[in-house]
Amino acid sequence: MQLRSVPSRAAAFVGGGFVPEPARGTAVDGMIAIADWYGTLANLAGVDPTDHSAAESGLPPIDSVDVWPLVIGENTTSPRTEILVTETCLIQGDLKLIRGSVRY
């Protein structure tokens, strides 16, 4: 088992007139999972992102959080604290846990 700091970054951008002027051209340093865009865009569109039929069937809620306040700079802390990358890799805060061997 390896436990190491996670200095990784991924490139993404948000554009358009909906982005407030002070947030344009800025960089965000926070944890955002690809699934978070669903909850974020649903909330921006005024749509409830909850899958009610799945909830009625006893399934867990969606794994998506609204990161818009982080993206536009209203908040400097991400609401997401961990990302399950695969069944053997978990990122939590600034640490990455990899179970098993890693092949590069």
Side-chain angles (χ1 to χ4, degrees):
M1 177 170 44
Q2 299 174 4
L3 193 60
R4 61 177 126 158
S5 180
V6 181
S8 61
R9 297 184 182 268
F13 69 92
V14 176
F18 201 70
V19 177
E21 189 68 39
R24 296 177 188 179
T26 62
V28 174
D29 185 27
M31 187 178 293
I32 299 174
I34 192 166
D36 295 334
W37 292 113
Y38 172 73
T40 301
L41 294 174
N43 284 329
L44 287 173
V47 177
D48 180 8
T50 307
D51 186 344
H52 295 286
S53 61
E56 290 171 6
S57 299
L59 295 173
I62 61 167
D63 182 22
S64 184
V65 293
D66 182 4
V67 294
W68 189 246
L70 175 67
V71 169
I72 64 170
E74 286 181 359
N75 189 355
T76 58
T77 306
S78 175
R80 177 161 298 280
T81 58
E82 58 190 27
I83 297 175
L84 183 62
V85 180
T86 67
E87 67 271 2
T88 61
C89 180
L90 172 71
I91 298 174
Q92 187 173 36
D94 62 351
L95 298 174
K96 181 187 286 184
L97 174 67
I98 300 174
R99 189 185 61 166
S101 61
V102 178
R103 295 189 179 123
Y104 293 100

